[in-house]
Amino acid sequence: MQSNQYSIKVGGHITLLFSIQSKSINIDEQGSRGVGICIQKGVEVSVTANKGNGDIKIKSTVQNLSEKLYVLIIEEMINHFEIIKKYNWEFQINSELPFSQGFGCSASGALSAIICILKIINEDENIFQNAITIAHRVERKMSSGLGDVTGLSAGGVELRIEPGLPFPPNNGKIINWECEFPMLLCWEQNEERHTSEYIDNEEWKKKISEAGQQCISILNKKKWDKNIWSDILEQSKIFGERSGILFDSSRKEILGKIENILNDLDINSFWEVRLCMLGSSAVILPKSLEQYNETDLEKILQMLEKRNLNGCITKTNLNPIII
């Protein structure tokens, strides 16, 4: 052990459309097909290790933080690295984004924590694959993320073609393209939803998966590069409607508020609003990746508060996990 403390930040991830693929009894094969975007804002975790017997202490001011996630991380990692149970572990968790709003904070927090632990115990070999694998397993045990971890393994704008871990012997398959562009995340305070409310509900699973599969099959026939952006925007809109997610909770109201702001500012021809799965949240994205005015987002941000919405500006993250 070279150092007993390490810190890292991993950016978040938003999903625009997806289908649930969780039938396999092997959690490494579970996940989702879908389209997502890796983002720069995320979760920073500082981990400190001291000689002990595997005790865990968590410090954070983050609301809706699941301490169980970090307990599961230690339990899962002990299965691979016995040295971990010879230390006490302290986690300091800071987030630039709210949890349980569809921004992939659970996945980015898990990855940050796991990378820190691997660094502290000097397990640098295959650190990327180990971090992705352990984070994916913990997320599945929590019924929190379906595709956030594998999405973060790719970076940029990704298409998850086959569910599960994208390393042998698993059949997960993911492709991506890279283009940095700005976006504005919006959410309603105190309207958090846990992913398990949907993916563990058979009726929602069926509606979401049928809608997702239809949209993915269309996108999968085209070349996956930035020229597909308008198709992504179109299919994500169709998905929100066909899946019924658009009409659940307060999501339609959120979209209406944001669309009114775009109309008031007369910039609705340059920006699109899409839901983030599966929170009470939305993202404002450029209609064209070549033609937008980033200062528009500052104007929108100022007007969100008047409509009881929170927001922050971020960009695509092309290299979400830098180790």
Side-chain angles (χ1 to χ4, degrees):
M1 182 181 285
Q2 294 175 338
S3 170
N4 74 329
Q5 198 274 337
Y6 200 84
S7 300
I8 194 170
K9 184 187 94 171
V10 173
H13 177 264
I14 58 174
T15 294
L16 297 178
L17 62 93
F18 69 108
S19 71
I20 300 166
Q21 313 289 324
S22 58
K23 286 182 180 177
S24 174
I25 58 171
N26 181 354
I27 59 175
D28 288 356
E29 295 174 357
Q30 295 175 8
S32 65
R33 296 186 177 100
V35 176
I37 304 173
C38 296
I39 57 177
Q40 291 181 10
K41 285 194 181 292
V43 180
E44 182 180 46
V45 179
S46 296
V47 178
T48 305
N50 292 300
K51 285 283 187 182
N53 55 7
D55 286 348
I56 299 166
K57 186 176 182 181
I58 297 168
K59 294 180 177 179
S60 182
T61 57
V62 173
Q63 289 185 325
N64 301 306
L65 179 74
S66 173
E67 295 193 1
K68 183 184 175 185
L69 176 76
Y70 296 88
V71 173
L72 281 176
I73 285 170
I74 294 297
E75 289 178 359
E76 180 68 29
M77 294 190 76
I78 285 172
N79 294 334
H80 301 268
F81 312 101
E82 278 207 24
I83 190 175
I84 287 171
K85 62 184 178 185
K86 296 180 180 179
Y87 293 87
N88 293 333
W89 298 92
E90 182 176 299
F91 299 91
Q92 173 70 51
I93 299 146
N94 300 305
S95 181
E96 298 170 308
L97 300 166
F99 276 57
S100 300
Q101 284 288 15
F103 301 141
C105 292
S106 175
S108 56
L111 281 165
S112 297
I114 292 161
I115 291 166
C116 287
I117 296 167
L118 291 171
K119 283 288 189 181
I120 288 170
I121 64 172
N122 296 326
E123 284 290 341
D124 284 339
E125 191 175 347
N126 297 322
I127 190 169
F128 178 80
Q129 185 168 330
N130 282 333
I132 296 294
T133 300
I134 294 165
H136 174 83
R137 290 173 180 171
V138 170
E139 281 273 81
R140 293 309 305 125
K141 287 179 180 179
M142 290 282 292
S143 271
S144 44
L146 276 169
D148 290 328
V149 172
T150 48
L152 287 170
S153 74
V157 180
E158 98 280 349
L159 174 64
R160 303 186 302 281
I161 298 170
E162 293 297 338
L165 287 169
F167 317 114
N170 306 293
N171 297 317
K173 186 178 179 185
I174 185 167
I175 54 177
N176 76 319
W177 50 267
E178 297 178 355
C179 176
E180 187 176 281
F181 55 86
M183 67 197 81
L184 198 158
L185 306 176
C186 315
W187 65 93
E188 202 159 31
Q189 201 71 31
N190 304 318
E191 282 288 342
E192 299 84 3
R193 302 295 295 269
H194 194 275
T195 303
S196 62
E197 293 178 43
Y198 295 90
I199 64 175
D200 292 341
N201 179 298
E202 288 303 319
E203 190 177 338
W204 272 117
K205 257 169 99 166
K206 187 171 184 290
K207 289 169 71 176
I208 288 169
S209 295
E210 285 179 356
Q213 286 293 86
Q214 289 169 8
C215 297
I216 293 161
S217 66
I218 291 169
L219 294 173
N220 203 18
K221 291 172 185 172
K222 305 191 177 197
K223 188 176 180 184
W224 193 253
D225 59 25
K226 67 179 185 177
N227 295 316
I228 202 172
W229 181 241
S230 60
D231 297 286
I232 291 173
L233 292 176
E234 181 184 2
Q235 293 304 316
S236 58
K237 184 177 183 179
I238 290 169
F239 172 78
E241 294 168 350
R242 284 184 183 165
S243 65
I245 287 174
L246 173 61
F247 309 103
D248 183 52
S249 188
S250 57
R251 294 190 181 93
K252 194 167 179 61
E253 186 182 338
I254 290 171
L255 289 190
K257 286 179 180 180
I258 299 167
E259 284 165 356
N260 286 338
I261 291 174
L262 298 182
N263 287 330
D264 291 346
L265 293 171
D266 197 24
I267 54 174
N268 54 326
S269 59
F270 297 100
W271 300 93
E272 290 272 7
V273 190
R274 291 293 179 271
L275 295 172
C276 297
M277 308 300 161
L278 281 159
S280 294
S281 55
V283 58
I284 301 172
L285 297 160
K287 280 191 177 181
S288 164
L289 298 181
E290 280 78 38
Q291 190 178 9
Y292 58 81
N293 188 342
E294 200 168 337
T295 58
D296 287 347
L297 297 181
E298 295 284 356
K299 296 172 187 174
I300 298 167
L301 195 59
Q302 291 171 12
M303 296 184 73
L304 285 176
E305 195 175 326
K306 298 173 185 175
R307 288 161 172 82
N308 297 316
L309 291 172
N310 297 83
C312 69
I313 297 169
T314 187
K315 291 183 177 181
T316 40
N317 203 356
L318 310 185
N319 300 294
I321 305 172
I322 300 169
I323 302 171

